Amino acid sequence: MTQIVPQPGIMDIELYVGGKSAIAGRTDVLKLSSNENPLGPVPASVTAAAAAAVDMHRYPSTDHAGLRTAIGEIWGLEPARIICGAGSDEVLQFVVQAYAGEGDEIIHTAHGFSLYPVLIRMASATPVCVPEAERRVDVDAILGAITDRTKIVLLTNPGNPTGTRLPDAELARLVDGIPEHIVLVIDAAYTEYADGYDGGVSFAATRPNVLMTRTFSKIYGLGGLRIGWGYGPQQMIDVMTRLRQPFNLSTVQLAAAEAAVRDTDWVARCQALNADQRARLVGALGQLGIACDPSETNFVLARFADEAEAASAEAAFVADGILIRRVTGYGFPEGLRITVGDVDQTGRVIETLTRWRNAA
Ligand SMILES: *Cc1c(COP(=O)(O)O)cnc(C)c1O
């Protein structure tokens, strides 16, 4: 029988594995494995989505003007230079597909987002993974990996699962060091949790080759709805728009996202909660002798003595009905990534770890 041959790279794709969401036999599971908002979705979005649902027989807007205008107003950006997608994942897919193909290289860092290699191979391009230094992005390692074939650099900042952020001066050095014919994508999914960080928008606003991506999945609590956006040079946005399906976002998605972006009080409340509980969790980890870098996100990467100890702590969490994320696939067999929860949830996490430590 003849074999139907797919495009190069496609069969090398390892399917993305998301955070677990169930424990057999338990109904009271606390899910802290996917960096979701412990307070749930923005209430204004739930109302807006329900109101929009009655019009679901109508095709949605093709240009996303309402949402782009709202984002532009709230963040002080030019709406024409915003592109919206089904999660920032889709925006990342547009940029990879637009600027790289077979024989081209795309650089990402060792502990970058595990979806990147998938997106890169979908475009038949070649992923080039560069090391990080002590769980921090290493600008020189990235610049040193650039070759004649490099088309794109994908940077997660702050990082996932490290939670660390490249200092502004280092980000500037990276931007300045990348030749202008190579695209730099700053995946800034956790911007709202990083103190004094603009997500790299100052570069996306002024450089010809820098794109910033953002999401409604984290602080806005809309991960299940799939909405993200990117901001960059007009020329790049015009290219990417050609790859965007005209109806890639539904009426319900657009309405929910527009309501979310305008609810700045909600964001401020979630930021404050996260900052408090993150500090509490980091403090408790320190007291229990569990290593952890300062986090600029809504999760922490707890580092145990070794893989066996991480597995033992994970078992303790599961026994208490708490789901956290093993990050072996991200290069941290000794790590557990724990999403920062609300006051009660963080209390549960600390109790479990304390009991586990005392039992050891
Ligand atoms: C969660 C996350 C995103 C968001 O993806 P969506 O497709 O917008 O849900 C993007 N990048 C990183 C590194 C993330 O952790």
Side-chain angles (χ1 to χ4, degrees), residues 249-318:
L249 291 181
S250 71
T251 320
V252 172
Q253 284 169 297
L254 291 166
E258 189 176 332
V261 78
R262 292 188 185 284
D263 197 344
T264 51
D265 288 348
W266 166 268
V267 171
R269 190 173 145 217
C270 297
Q271 281 169 328
L273 174 71
N274 184 73
D276 287 350
Q277 297 311 307
R278 184 174 66 194
R280 179 179 169 213
L281 180 56
V282 169
L285 290 171
Q287 288 196 333
L288 292 167
I290 300 164
C292 165
D293 295 316
S295 164
E296 304 220 27
T297 62
N298 65 340
F299 58 84
V300 299
L301 177 63
R303 285 178 290 119
F304 295 81
D306 52 28
E307 182 166 6
E309 203 186 77
S312 157
E314 184 192 25
F317 278 121
V318 171

Side-chain angles (χ1 to χ4, degrees), residues 34-35 86-90 92 112-113 115-116 156 158-160 187-190 213-218 223 226-228 299 337:
S34 294
N35 304 338
S88 47
D89 292 356
E90 194 185 28
L92 293 166
F113 193 22
L115 185 72
Y116 297 160
T156 324
N160 173 12
D187 175 347
Y190 298 97
T213 59
R214 301 283 291 273
T215 184
F216 284 93
S217 300
K218 303 286 154 61
R226 315 303 307 127
I227 319 143
F299 58 84
R337 193 191 68 188

Side-chain angles (χ1 to χ4, degrees), residues 111-132:
H111 309 303
F113 193 22
S114 64
L115 185 72
Y116 297 160
V118 175
L119 297 176
I120 294 167
R121 296 212 189 272
M122 280 167 72
S124 301
T126 305
V128 175
C129 181
V130 305
E132 295 189 7

